[in-house]
Amino acid sequence: DTEVTQTPKHLVMGMTNKKSLKCEQHMGHRAMYWYKQKAKKPPELMFVYSYEKLSINESVPSRFSPECPNSSLLNLHLHALQPEDSALYLCASSQDLLLWGGAKNIQYFGAGTRLSVL
Amino acid sequence: AQTVTQSQPEMSVQEAETVTLSCTYDTSESDYYLFWYKQPPSRQMILVIRQEAYKQQNATENRFSVNFQKAAKSFSLKISDSQLGDAAMYFCAYSSGNNDMRFGAGTRLTVKP
């Protein structure tokens, strides 16, 4: 099973709303990622969690707040977003970061959440 | 900083023919990993093939193969016997192994019946 599940598939929110995106995997992966993808552009890395600890924050605005409650679950809390934050948000996971080896660098992606900020 | 360049925004291939997508990258690392991901209209990024830089042998996965030229920092993807289901956006990606996955701008592949 190489499935990463993201919910919801679509989300429309106002600039004053608070919402959360959810990502779940049951592959035993210990690294999880959030990416932002604008139309016709490549994914851009936002956050990386390793063993439930935030290891990379690519200078993302504080209106995006990630959370990793356990090794299978990753959330992205959204608050006071701007219309330019409208995008596809992708979650990914990969095996143990602390070990070296090709297979452990493969990231498996979810289908994404299409976010529209009005 | 590592950069990944895909110089072909769009490519087209006839069904059952062969097509090659280009990718170059820039890095000062000696050990790293390269990937090709496919993103169909369904949006999900799907791993097509990967290559470890320390391996000289080019990776192959069924109809997909790569031409990895480490000295030239080139990593092209060859799709043989193209099928309609191969139509998608293809992203070349680089990782040093520290979760710094960087993607190229992508190449949109159209397969003509």
Side-chain angles (χ1 to χ4, degrees):
Chain A
D1 181 11
T2 56
E3 187 169 322
V4 176
T5 303
Q6 288 188 245
T7 54
K9 287 184 172 25
H10 302 274
L11 178 63
V12 179
M13 61 186 291
M15 290 189 284
T16 59
N17 292 158
K18 286 185 180 180
K19 297 287 185 183
S20 296
L21 309 184
K22 179 180 174 181
C23 174
E24 201 163 1
Q25 57 88 14
H26 296 286
M27 296 179 277
H29 290 173
R30 301 311 297 270
M32 296 186 77
Y33 311 75
W34 280 116
Y35 288 87
K36 174 182 179 180
Q37 186 178 24
K38 300 286 276 186
K40 300 183 179 180
K41 297 290 186 183
E44 294 179 356
L45 185 64
M46 300 174 71
F47 302 104
V48 180
Y49 272 84
S50 172
Y51 288 79
E52 294 114 71
K53 287 184 169 40
L54 184 64
S55 61
I56 295 178
N57 176 344
E58 294 283 4
S59 302
V60 179
S62 59
R63 56 186 184 269
F64 295 91
S65 176
E67 179 196 20
C68 190
N70 58 61
S71 60
S72 300
L73 188 57
L74 184 67
N75 298 320
L76 185 62
H77 302 298
L78 314 172
H79 174 55
L81 294 193
Q82 304 297 310
E84 59 264 29
D85 296 322
S86 298
L88 179 67
Y89 288 83
L90 293 166
C91 174
S93 70
S94 66
Q95 288 182 354
D96 192 341
L97 291 177
L98 301 181
L99 302 178
W100 189 251
K104 294 176 174 58
N105 290 284
I106 297 173
Q107 293 187 21
Y108 296 91
F109 286 80
T113 294
R114 176 78 65 193
L115 174 67
S116 297
V117 182
L118 304 177
Chain B
Q2 298 89 0
T3 58
V4 180
T5 302
Q6 292 178 251
S7 59
Q8 305 155 316
E10 296 184 357
M11 290 286 284
S12 179
V13 64
Q14 205 71 34
E15 194 175 7
E17 297 294 309
T18 296
V19 64
T20 299
L21 308 184
S22 301
C23 174
T24 58
Y25 58 94
D26 186 27
T27 183
S28 57
E29 304 284 340
S30 58
D31 289 323
Y32 49 87
Y33 302 86
L34 297 165
F35 306 87
W36 279 97
Y37 278 90
K38 164 185 176 181
Q39 188 175 38
S42 64
R43 309 181 323 202
Q44 187 153 10
M45 296 280 282
I46 301 165
L47 178 68
V48 175
I49 198 165
R50 75 178 191 274
Q51 174 81 43
E52 292 87 347
Y54 62 85
K55 289 186 177 178
Q56 292 185 340
Q57 187 172 5
N58 289 325
T60 300
E61 289 286 344
N62 300 315
R63 298 182 295 108
F64 299 89
S65 62
V66 298
N67 184 2
F68 173 49
Q69 302 289 328
K70 190 172 184 178
K73 295 180 182 175
S74 171
F75 182 61
S76 61
L77 174 69
K78 186 171 83 170
I79 306 174
S80 303
D81 186 25
S82 297
Q83 301 176 359
L84 295 177
D86 295 333
M89 182 72 94
Y90 285 80
F91 291 101
C92 177
Y94 167 101
S95 172
S96 70
N98 293 322
N99 309 306
D100 56 345
M101 184 81 84
R102 304 295 176 193
F103 291 88
T107 297
R108 182 167 299 282
L109 178 67
T110 302
V111 181
K112 297 179 179 177

